[in-house]
Amino acid sequence: MATAVAPRPRRGRPSRLVRFFRGFSVEKSFTVLSLLVASGLITICSLDILLAWPWKHASLLFDWTYLLAGFVLLGLTYDVFRDQSR
């Protein structure tokens, strides 16, 4: 016969996301905004490279350059997120 066991409450430090969103600051709102911009750049440029939408391969140099810029911005955003959630 199986018995239900209640999960143990977590002890220790809260997760990185909880620490990040604990207090509000302008820097944190810019970090979230840059995450949204980076993911938008990556999504739109990837869609244009793979499916020729929305710009119908107007400039592959534009797509690859902005895709690289999106990944660089994503990396920088992650680095700032780690610093702010310590």
Side-chain angles (χ1 to χ4, degrees):
M1 181 171 167
T3 59
V5 177
R8 291 177 41 185
R10 288 184 78 190
R11 293 184 185 153
R13 291 177 44 168
S15 71
R16 211 175 264 259
L17 273 176
V18 170
R19 285 181 297 190
F20 179 77
F21 286 112
R22 183 168 288 161
F24 176 79
S25 68
V26 175
E27 292 87 7
K28 290 181 182 181
S29 62
F30 281 133
T31 304
V32 173
L33 179 66
S34 66
L35 175 70
L36 294 173
V37 169
S39 60
L41 275 175
I42 292 169
T43 302
I44 289 176
C45 292
S46 297
L47 283 173
D48 192 43
I49 290 171
L50 297 175
L51 304 174
W53 181 85
W55 297 303
K56 299 182 177 118
H57 293 302
S59 173
L60 286 178
L61 180 63
F62 170 85
D63 289 335
W64 286 108
T65 303
Y66 277 84
L67 186 63
L68 177 66
F71 278 116
V72 168
L73 182 61
L74 186 67
L76 292 172
T77 301
Y78 179 71
D79 187 46
V80 170
F81 165 75
R82 284 187 322 155
D83 285 344
Q84 290 178 348
S85 61
R86 286 187 182 168

